[in-house]
Amino acid sequence: MAEPILKWAGGKRQLLDELYARFPAEYGRYHEPFVGGGAVFFDREPAGATINDANPRLVNFYERVRDDPDALIERLESFDDPEADPDPSLRYSEETARGRAVENYYYQQRARFNRRPYEGEFDPLEEAALLLYLNRTCYNGLYRENADGGFNVPIGRYANPDWVQRDRIRAASRVLASGSVRNDDFAYVLDAAEPGDLVYFDPPYEPMSATASFNEYSADGFDREDQRRLLDVTRKLDEAGVSVVLSNSGVMYEAYADAGFHVDVEGATRAINSDAANRDEVDEIVATNVPTNDRCEAGQRGLPEF
């Protein structure tokens, strides 16, 4: 079984049972317009699926996992401990492109990763390797971008971080090989999905309060107008005979209930938070148009840790 390679905010590994209980027992192709860390996609291993994400660096990562797994692993094996001294043979061994002092190997690699947003240049394989390296060595596995699109998470503290992830890369490459990886707006699925297909939506969540901002995973964000567009897309898919399952924050309950979807509230622990004391259970909804009699049976499952 394939497993997610990246730690990703909003991952659904803890809600798999609740999600699968609403999947149709039979369906055609599988589509996931907000793939993120891919917890559902890699667990299901659907053939011929489409996956999509708005983050071009995440999409590039999955393309390299699919097309160049051995080269990606080899590049990852060449990286050093995050707290080691910067490598003088590589760029940014003394300061970043913005003139900031480089303290150690981690911050040198972060500066190299940010060539795309800051300088408009990148090597696809190197960027993919750097994404995984930073993801496994940064603070709490958080992915966060500043207003310019630069990755700005500080170094983490790990006794023995594993950034190579050989087995997961090879397993994921096999799963990705039969489908397509896209960097489009989520509405692409209106053209890609056919009657009888299944679409699972896991968008960046609507904030639980006016001051919450945990949906800011990328520089572009995902605002309330995007939430309204998403609701419209789910309605159109429903009318076209496509099965839809969607997870979102609790504040979206009424919007999907009013649209005719069956909506349930589920508790989920927020796994990525800078304050461990605040990794509390938050209300999420799971909405679907799949009739009760047509759904899968849910089973209990154990979730291995990263």
Side-chain angles (χ1 to χ4, degrees):
M1 182 182 72
E3 296 180 275
I5 309 169
L6 299 166
K7 300 179 181 181
W8 208 255
K12 288 297 171 291
R13 289 166 67 83
Q14 61 192 339
L15 284 179
L16 292 181
D17 277 346
E18 288 78 6
L19 294 173
Y20 295 164
R22 290 140 177 107
F23 276 22
E26 297 181 359
Y27 54 88
R29 295 175 71 204
Y30 176 81
H31 310 272
E32 192 168 341
F34 302 93
V35 70
V40 176
F41 171 74
F42 288 120
D43 189 69
R44 299 294 287 189
E45 299 190 11
T50 71
I51 61 172
N52 176 76
D53 203 274
N55 188 322
R57 294 193 280 189
L58 179 61
V59 170
N60 173 68
F61 175 77
Y62 286 132
E63 290 174 339
R64 301 285 71 76
V65 169
R66 180 192 63 196
D67 300 337
D68 303 302
D70 292 335
L72 178 60
I73 291 169
E74 183 178 1
R75 191 70 60 91
L76 286 159
E77 290 172 338
S78 71
F79 291 153
D80 203 349
D81 185 87
E83 297 192 32
D85 292 335
D87 184 342
S89 70
L90 299 174
R91 295 179 65 180
Y92 316 114
S93 61
E94 296 183 0
E95 63 179 32
T96 71
R98 296 189 165 188
R100 295 175 180 169
V102 172
E103 302 173 24
N104 52 35
Y105 189 83
Y106 172 87
Y107 287 106
Q108 181 185 27
Q109 307 321 305
R110 192 179 75 172
R112 296 177 68 225
F113 181 65
N114 283 332
R115 286 181 65 200
R116 189 201 288 230
Y118 293 164
E119 303 173 64
E121 300 178 4
F122 75 106
D123 172 82
L125 183 64
E126 188 73 12
E127 185 183 78
L130 287 166
L131 174 57
L132 180 52
Y133 175 80
L134 294 170
N135 180 259
R136 290 286 169 171
T137 59
C138 73
Y139 184 77
N140 204 34
L142 177 66
Y143 187 90
R144 183 184 65 202
E145 295 179 354
N146 61 26
D148 296 324
F151 179 77
N152 63 359
V153 181
I155 189 172
R157 294 290 180 264
Y158 302 95
N160 187 28
D162 176 14
W163 57 78
V164 179
Q165 298 288 310
R166 297 174 188 85
D167 293 341
R168 293 192 183 202
I169 288 174
R170 291 189 173 115
S173 180
R174 172 180 53 79
V175 177
L176 289 163
S178 70
S180 65
V181 183
R182 307 172 67 126
N183 180 214
D184 293 326
D185 182 82
F186 62 83
Y188 86 90
V189 76
L190 290 173
D191 295 322
E194 299 180 353
D197 285 359
L198 169 63
V199 179
Y200 169 55
F201 290 107
D202 182 31
Y205 281 4
E206 179 76 1
M208 295 296 291
S209 70
T211 58
S213 60
F214 60 88
N215 64 343
E216 295 176 358
Y217 303 144
S218 68
D220 293 336
F222 194 84
D223 60 22
R224 296 194 176 188
E225 178 57 31
D226 291 318
Q227 291 281 3
R228 284 189 284 269
R229 288 198 305 119
L230 176 58
L231 179 59
D232 185 55
V233 167
T234 62
R235 286 193 183 111
K236 290 178 179 178
L237 290 171
D238 180 43
E239 293 169 358
V242 176
S243 294
V244 175
V245 177
L246 173 139
S247 48
N248 211 322
S249 72
V251 297
M252 300 301 294
Y253 184 102
E254 290 187 7
Y256 283 91
D258 290 346
F261 288 83
H262 182 89
V263 186
D264 293 302
V265 176
E266 301 288 347
T269 302
R270 188 177 299 140
I272 294 182
N273 190 299
S274 59
D275 182 356
N278 286 329
R279 292 174 200 158
D280 298 327
E281 189 170 271
V282 296
D283 282 343
E284 300 191 23
I285 63 164
V286 180
T288 185
N289 66 345
V290 179
T292 303
N293 292 339
D294 294 340
R295 298 180 191 175
C296 290
E297 290 289 331
Q300 297 299 313
R301 60 192 308 116
L303 300 181
E305 296 183 356
F306 283 96

